[in-house]
Amino acid sequence: MAPSDGRDTGTRPIMQGVVHLLSCILFIWLCLATHRLRDMYVNGGTGSIPLKDFDSAIGYFQQAVSIDPMYAEGFGDLGLLLESRARHEEARLQYLHVLQDIDTSNLKALAGMLRVSAHKDQRSEVCHYVNRVGPLAFSASQEECVSQDCARHRGHASYVLDLARQLDSKW
């Protein structure tokens, strides 16, 4: 027997299921769109670098990390760009965000903290980061690689290890 308000209760669970499915699809699409939008800004920033338009590159990377606040690679690249413009304190904040909120062992951020601390002649900070980065960089520089990303990471780890050794011997 049909309810007195005239609605068919048999279609309600189907409609709820359709609404749930559409909500899930929308959520997935938004997640993908967010990463695509982030990558669009990263590509804009990367494309600005060979043109030596560093201020535009910084703006693009700032947009990218505002879209994805857990994008450690983007914060590291933004920090490098800020360093290249002698904006060391701003760069330090980008690296600290990565190390405190995203990845405590991110080599790009640790190397950035080494450079910024050395630039400011902060010896205790340099020693702190040399001690943190040394074992991580050594381990990563010894990895056997079969992919381009791994080889790039290994090369960066070798650079960070050399940087740490130079700064350690200086102080």
Side-chain angles (χ1 to χ4, degrees), residues 5-168:
D5 64 3
R7 288 186 285 164
D8 180 8
T9 58
T11 60
R12 176 175 271 169
I14 294 171
M15 289 304 292
Q16 288 175 337
V18 168
V19 168
H20 180 72
L21 177 63
L22 290 174
S23 297
C24 290
I25 291 170
L26 178 62
F27 177 76
I28 291 168
W29 181 82
L30 287 173
C31 288
L32 294 173
T34 298
H35 286 286
R36 286 188 181 132
L37 184 59
R38 178 200 74 192
D39 291 345
M40 181 185 77
Y41 283 110
V42 168
N43 291 338
T46 303
S48 297
I49 294 169
L51 302 173
K52 301 202 183 312
D53 188 1
F54 299 112
D55 292 331
S56 290
I58 288 169
Y60 280 118
F61 277 98
Q62 286 172 330
Q63 287 295 323
V65 298
S66 72
I67 290 167
D68 185 355
M70 297 304 287
Y71 183 43
E73 188 74 17
F75 280 102
D77 291 340
L78 176 57
L80 284 169
L81 287 165
L82 290 166
E83 277 187 76
S84 76
R85 307 305 294 161
R87 293 164 62 178
H88 300 285
E89 183 57 26
E90 291 173 80
R92 186 183 75 79
L93 294 174
Q94 305 308 310
Y95 301 136
L96 278 177
H97 171 69
V98 171
L99 295 171
Q100 292 174 348
D101 300 329
I102 301 173
D103 179 3
T104 59
S105 60
N106 184 285
L107 284 178
K108 185 180 281 189
L110 287 166
M113 289 302 292
L114 275 172
R115 287 190 306 272
V116 169
S117 298
H119 175 79
K120 292 183 168 198
D121 205 26
Q122 296 173 326
R123 294 176 183 197
S124 64
E125 287 286 308
V126 169
C127 292
H128 169 76
Y129 286 107
V130 163
N131 289 334
R132 278 186 65 189
V133 78
L136 292 169
F138 179 78
S139 175
S141 69
Q142 303 301 309
E143 291 178 6
E144 291 293 322
C145 292
V146 294
S147 72
Q148 185 177 10
D149 284 341
C150 177
R152 188 177 305 122
H153 181 70
R154 184 178 63 197
H156 188 256
S158 296
Y159 156 75
V160 173
L161 191 57
D162 289 344
L163 176 65
R165 286 177 179 154
Q166 288 172 7
L167 292 173
D168 191 40

